[in-house]
């Protein structure tokens, strides 16, 4: 697990500053999605797709399932998941930043997707009940957290027995880089 030599609040502040400075993101995350999936999203969502993979493509979602997205950002994976689970299912996105939550809610309203919910919160301390999800997704967010083991514990807590976790993320072995790099603010938030 990551050596968190800095405090959680400090790391979250770095992450917030990095994301709030983004005013013209390039939507590099779109490269992982099929045109058919992108066509199901509002145009305004594409530039804000900042993930590192396409967890929805691997989640094998079924109608009626309850999905949680850890670090949902602008909500693209939540919208796609909601479409796949259909009106008898639901997808909930959690993100640290109120600005991202507002962006995701606006995207859902524009897409007319009703079986979604978004909440501001920490994925190390999910604002969700135990045993409420069939599937937890995460795309590019766990690497930004100080205590990654807490995120996995929280995913386990909110998943029902037999639930599935599908994660796309960046990993690094600590011995690959010196600690001055691993603990540098721009490395945490970048
Ligand atoms: C790289 S973006 C990916 C967003 C989205 N999953 C996507 O694919 O576009 C990382 C997101 O994680 C959120 N985040 C970072 N740390 C978090 C934390 N501790 N709790 C909740 N969200 C967090 C950020 O606010 C940001 O929206």
């Amino acid at each position: 697990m990551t050596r968190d030599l800095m405090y959680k609040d400090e790391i979250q502040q770095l992450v917030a500053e990095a994301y709030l400075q983004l005013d013209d993101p390039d939507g590099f995350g779109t490269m992982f999605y099929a045109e058919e999936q992108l066509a199901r999203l509002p145009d305004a969502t594409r530039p804000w797709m900042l993930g590192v993979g396409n967890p929805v493509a691997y989640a094998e979602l079924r109608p009626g399932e309850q999905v949680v997205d850890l670090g949902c950002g602008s909500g693209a994976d939540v919208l796609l998941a909601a479409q796949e689970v259909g009106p008898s299912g639901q997808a909930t996105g959690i993100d640290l930043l109120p600005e991202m939550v507002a962006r995701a809610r606006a995207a859902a309203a524009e897409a007319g997707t009703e079986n979604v919910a978004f909440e501001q919160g920490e994925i190390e301390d999910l604002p969700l009940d135990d045993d409420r999800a069939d599937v937890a997704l995460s795309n590019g967010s766990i690497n930004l957290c100080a205590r990654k083991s807490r995120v996995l514990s929280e995913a386990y807590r909110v998943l029902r027995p037999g639930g599935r976790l599908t994660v796309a993320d960046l990993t690094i072995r600590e011995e690959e880089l010196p600690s001055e790099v691993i603990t540098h603010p721009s490395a945490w938030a970048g």
Side-chain angles (χ1 to χ4, degrees):
M1 269 304 143
T2 307
R3 277 177 279 181
D4 57 42
L5 302 181
M6 292 187 288
Y7 296 109
K8 185 188 75 168
D9 290 349
E10 195 177 346
I11 290 170
Q12 289 189 352
Q13 186 62 33
L14 292 171
V15 168
E17 282 168 12
Y19 281 87
L20 296 178
Q21 276 169 16
L22 283 177
D23 56 1
D24 186 22
D26 61 4
F28 60 82
T30 55
M31 75 171 82
F32 304 107
Y33 292 77
E35 269 308 319
E36 172 277 322
Q37 287 180 302
L38 295 174
R40 290 193 263 134
L41 296 170
D43 288 345
T45 302
R46 291 188 187 205
W48 287 96
M49 291 174 72
L50 306 175
V52 296
N54 182 347
V56 177
Y58 294 93
E60 300 180 357
L61 297 174
R62 298 188 279 266
E65 287 192 318
Q66 296 286 322
V67 181
V68 175
D69 184 2
L70 312 177
C72 65
S74 62
D77 288 331
V78 177
L79 296 186
L80 292 172
Q83 292 162 5
E84 296 201 12
V85 299
S88 60
Q90 202 248 12
T92 299
I94 308 295
D95 201 278
L96 179 67
L97 299 180
E99 294 80 1
M100 286 295 193
V101 171
R103 203 168 273 125
R105 287 187 177 136
E110 189 182 338
T113 309
E114 292 182 351
N115 57 333
V116 290
F118 296 96
E119 285 199 46
Q120 191 267 329
E122 296 178 11
I123 59 177
E124 301 97 323
D125 186 15
L126 288 170
L128 300 172
D129 292 339
D130 297 357
D131 295 342
R132 53 96 68 210
D134 301 293
V135 178
L137 307 174
S138 193
N139 191 357
S141 303
I142 299 174
N143 74 88
L144 298 167
C145 295
R147 289 183 174 80
K148 294 155 189 27
S149 56
R150 276 290 309 167
V151 182
L152 297 177
S153 300
E154 281 291 271
Y156 185 76
R157 180 181 67 76
V158 302
L159 282 169
R160 296 186 179 126
R164 285 118 57 207
L165 172 67
T166 307
V167 175
D169 219 314
L170 307 173
T171 62
I172 193 164
R173 289 203 305 270
E174 290 190 1
E175 67 273 19
E176 286 175 351
L177 291 172
S179 57
E180 308 86 79
V181 175
I182 285 183
T183 58
H184 193 278
S186 60
W188 270 103

